[in-house]
Amino acid sequence: MNTSLQHPATHVPVRSVPLLRVLGAAALITVAAAWSSTHAVAAEPTLTIKMAWYIPPGTAVDKQGNAIAKKIEEMSHGSIKVLTYPGGSLLKETNMARGLQDNVVQMGILGVHWWANQEPSTSFDNIPFLARNSENLLDALHGKVGEDIKAILGKHGVTVAGWGFYGYTGAYINVKHPVIHPEDFNGLRMRSNGPLPAAFLKHFGAVPTTIDSSEVYTALQRGTLEGAASGMSTFVSRKWIEVGKYITALKSTISVYPTQVNAAWWNGLKPEQRKIIADAVASTERDNAKAIEDEWQNDVQIARSRGLKVFVPQGDALKEWESKSHFLQAEYLKTAGEQGQKILRDIASYVE
């Protein structure tokens, strides 16, 4: 048969077959390499972190906690996984510090003043009118004040990975009558949120008590408490505005809520892992500072829309509250001592 009559489409030169195979294999290698580089985030994590906070969902602390977890995973390209336990689902405000010390969680957002039973100087953030605003205080925390706090917490097996705020405290809610002047606290059974708030309430005739913030709603509802001190954020997020009637909304005290870590765990990390975590927290700090300013305004509006009588001291009224709060610095120094004096000096150097 004359092979020259074969259909040209079925004719494959003998030498072309291995060339196509080579080209095909090269193409597969190229595709595989490209897939590998673009899908690196799918790799199994080499580090898993448990992170907790006890402040309710939707608050500035909750938003910062979720943002930190997301940033860590993004910045590590998935090599670090963060398991979050928000809203007191694992640890509450009364046992968060112990949970960090015992490595129940490696990271936690905790009010610095909750260390005051062991380190009285950490209650500085319960002193009203220390800083002009959250941005001002954040600058101080990135300076000498932050180093002071890290040195104090280091004695208890904990350090600070970055900074944040719960919001403005120094607000008061009650079921009895408007509190226009501090003397109006006289006779009220009030939940306090730390030793200094308790001293302020007692100074003006209230009967302060300490209970977990998760129990205040029921206590107000049943009448075992007549009021509580905290922040507007707590009044709204924990629904105390459903049982309270009157609010005095002071924008005077900024609660510092650092992202704290178990020190032994932190020191055992690779340097690049510590940097990723620290950078992730730092990337959320300014947003958190702005969030608490916006949150305060929004929460005042929410409380008023629910029918509560909200008094916001301004002008001479605000000056009255400030002047009648001055004794708290001396009260603070009774237990905080020289360490407390140093913290106050270091804060003053940033706010003056």
Side-chain angles (χ1 to χ4, degrees), residues 40-105:
V41 294
E44 287 295 317
T46 58
L47 174 66
T48 299
I49 302 170
K50 290 182 178 179
M51 179 180 181
W53 57 90
Y54 50 81
I55 301 299
T59 57
V61 168
D62 181 69
K63 291 173 184 175
Q64 186 181 24
N66 285 312
I68 289 168
K70 183 179 179 182
K71 288 283 189 180
I72 290 173
E73 293 188 351
E74 288 177 352
M75 294 169 71
S76 70
H77 301 294
S79 67
I80 303 177
K81 182 176 179 59
V82 184
L83 304 177
T84 59
Y85 301 88
S89 57
L90 179 61
L91 296 169
K92 297 186 181 297
E93 58 190 323
T94 51
N95 62 2
M96 178 72 80
R98 174 55 63 184
L100 280 166
Q101 289 176 307
D102 293 344
N103 208 34
V104 175
V105 294

Side-chain angles (χ1 to χ4, degrees), residues 282-322:
S283 73
T284 69
E285 291 176 346
R286 297 291 170 183
D287 286 343
N288 169 261
K290 182 180 185 303
I292 72 166
E293 302 291 336
D294 297 339
E295 188 175 79
W296 188 88
Q297 296 287 350
N298 292 337
D299 289 338
V300 168
Q301 292 175 8
I302 290 170
R304 284 175 170 159
S305 72
R306 301 292 178 84
L308 279 78
K309 304 297 183 184
V310 181
F311 171 59
V312 180
Q314 295 177 340
D316 289 342
L318 184 61
K319 289 178 182 178
E320 177 194 358
W321 281 85
E322 183 173 2

Side-chain angles (χ1 to χ4, degrees), residues 11-304:
H11 180 67
V12 180
V14 174
R15 294 184 181 273
S16 299
V17 174
L19 178 60
L20 287 177
R21 287 176 180 169
V22 170
L23 291 173
L28 287 173
I29 292 170
T30 302
V31 170
W35 186 93
S36 176
S37 65
T38 57
H39 289 73
V41 294
E44 287 295 317
T46 58
L47 174 66
T48 299
I49 302 170
K50 290 182 178 179
M51 179 180 181
W53 57 90
Y54 50 81
I55 301 299
T59 57
V61 168
D62 181 69
K63 291 173 184 175
Q64 186 181 24
N66 285 312
I68 289 168
K70 183 179 179 182
K71 288 283 189 180
I72 290 173
E73 293 188 351
E74 288 177 352
M75 294 169 71
S76 70
H77 301 294
S79 67
I80 303 177
K81 182 176 179 59
V82 184
L83 304 177
T84 59
Y85 301 88
S89 57
L90 179 61
L91 296 169
K92 297 186 181 297
E93 58 190 323
T94 51
N95 62 2
M96 178 72 80
R98 174 55 63 184
L100 280 166
Q101 289 176 307
D102 293 344
N103 208 34
V104 175
V105 294
Q106 293 74 52
M107 298 178 65
I109 303 180
L110 167 68
V112 69
H113 53 269
W114 286 108
W115 291 96
N117 286 337
Q118 300 171 70
E119 295 287 349
S121 62
T122 60
S123 65
F124 72 91
D125 70 334
N126 280 161
I127 302 173
F129 305 102
L130 273 187
R132 292 189 299 272
N133 53 51
S134 54
E135 289 277 355
N136 183 222
L137 186 53
L138 183 57
D139 290 338
L141 291 169
H142 276 285
K144 294 179 181 178
V145 182
E147 294 306 314
D148 295 339
I149 296 169
K150 288 179 182 179
I152 293 167
L153 297 186
K155 295 186 290 183
H156 301 279
V158 172
T159 190
V160 174
W163 303 101
F165 305 107
Y166 153 80
Y168 287 93
T169 56
Y172 305 92
I173 189 169
N174 83 90
V175 299
K176 288 295 185 179
H177 55 248
V179 173
I180 307 301
H181 310 281
E183 290 80 5
D184 295 332
F185 286 123
N186 188 47
L188 292 178
R189 296 190 304 276
M190 298 283 293
R191 180 258 187 183
S192 69
N193 54 337
L196 289 179
F200 183 78
L201 290 167
K202 187 175 182 179
H203 184 81
F204 289 103
V207 181
T209 186
T210 302
I211 66 171
D212 193 276
S213 57
S214 63
E215 301 170 5
V216 171
Y217 183 103
T218 302
L220 289 172
Q221 192 176 46
R222 293 176 177 175
T224 53
L225 274 182
E226 295 171 320
S230 190
M232 290 301 304
S233 174
T234 293
F235 296 170
V236 172
S237 64
R238 294 196 181 275
K239 300 183 177 14
W240 299 357
I241 57 174
E242 293 181 356
V243 288
K245 295 180 180 179
Y246 307 97
I247 291 176
T248 303
L250 280 163
K251 195 179 180 185
S252 61
T253 312
I254 307 172
S255 282
V256 179
Y257 271 60
T259 297
Q260 300 170 49
V261 295
N262 177 281
W265 169 81
W266 181 251
N267 293 331
L269 294 178
K270 297 176 181 178
E272 58 268 26
Q273 291 173 327
R274 285 197 298 270
K275 185 177 188 308
I276 287 170
I277 295 168
D279 288 350
V281 179
S283 73
T284 69
E285 291 176 346
R286 297 291 170 183
D287 286 343
N288 169 261
K290 182 180 185 303
I292 72 166
E293 302 291 336
D294 297 339
E295 188 175 79
W296 188 88
Q297 296 287 350
N298 292 337
D299 289 338
V300 168
Q301 292 175 8
I302 290 170
R304 284 175 170 159

